[in-house]
Amino acid sequence: PDAVFTSSLQRAARTAAIVTDALGLPAGTVCTDWRLNERNYGALTGRHKDDVRAEVGEAQFLAWRRSVDTAPPAMSDEQWAAFAGSDLFRGLPTRALTRTESLRDVMARVAEFHADQVLPRLAAAQTVLVVAHGNSLRAYCAVLEQLDKSAIHRLNLPTGHPLVYQAGGRRYLDAPRAEAAALALTLDGGT
């Protein structure tokens, strides 16, 4: 790739570093953009999904996890203040820290990222690699493909399975393994 973008979260940055090192790309190839960060699950942040599912029931759990427009409960003032004061958010714009996000909120920020960072590079015939997270990548796919709510709900992107977009659409580099991993992810409640 001519350019590599990653979120400001450590696990995506580490993955981008592994990939660029394996490809022998210069360190300056990687750019960080907070708009690729994982979705903010609000008051559910830090909680295990099985615990949340047991507490609120399957229907509410799926609404928070899979719907486009339903955001989880917002962070409390105390929780929000702790996040706002953390090293991760200290250097980011104020709008990078919300109290909760729906997937539509994530779609808006990745669409902005795409317009600002990716489209100009594609227009210059460059190849771009984006390293991010389950929900920010699901939102990105929804934006790129203009998916409806039903298609977004069904979309699961397994971790560690590169997805390639070209003029003809998208494909996994190892489709059989990625599809098996996506099915397992679906059975576990999805991305």
Side-chain angles (χ1 to χ4, degrees), residues 8-191:
S8 61
L9 303 178
Q10 289 180 358
R11 62 186 183 268
R14 286 181 186 140
T15 300
I18 290 167
V19 171
T20 56
D21 184 53
L23 295 175
L25 299 174
T29 307
V30 178
C31 298
T32 300
D33 196 305
W34 69 269
R35 294 172 293 186
L36 294 171
N37 284 2
E38 178 58 289
R39 178 179 171 190
N40 178 347
Y41 274 96
L44 304 180
T45 300
R47 297 196 54 201
H48 192 278
K49 64 184 176 183
D50 291 338
D51 295 338
V52 173
R53 182 183 297 157
E55 180 182 316
V56 301
E58 189 72 13
Q60 183 62 66
F61 172 78
L62 289 176
W64 287 334
R65 262 187 96 71
R66 304 298 300 163
S67 77
V68 174
D69 296 307
T70 304
M75 289 181 181
S76 67
D77 290 345
E78 181 179 284
Q79 192 177 19
W80 188 83
F83 274 89
S86 71
D87 288 341
L88 173 63
F89 290 102
R90 197 169 295 125
L92 298 180
T94 304
R95 68 187 188 109
L97 180 59
T98 59
R99 290 184 183 258
T100 189
E101 284 183 306
S102 68
L103 192 64
R104 186 164 312 282
D105 297 326
V106 181
M107 290 168 63
R109 62 178 160 89
V110 297
E112 181 182 279
F113 158 80
H114 182 71
D116 292 349
Q117 299 293 344
V118 177
L119 285 180
R121 286 169 174 81
L122 295 179
Q126 293 182 351
T127 300
V128 177
L129 173 64
V130 175
V131 181
H133 310 274
N135 279 294
S136 56
L137 290 173
R138 188 164 70 108
Y140 202 7
C141 289
V143 168
L144 292 176
E145 298 177 44
Q146 299 177 342
L147 298 176
D148 64 21
K149 288 182 182 182
S150 178
I152 295 168
H153 180 82
R154 292 188 312 271
L155 180 62
N156 284 302
L157 302 174
T159 301
H161 293 274
L163 185 60
V164 178
Y165 275 89
Q166 291 175 311
R170 67 173 151 104
R171 67 178 173 79
Y172 284 105
L173 289 182
D174 184 347
R177 289 180 65 181
E179 289 164 7
L183 176 60
L185 187 58
T186 300
L187 297 173
D188 191 37
T191 304

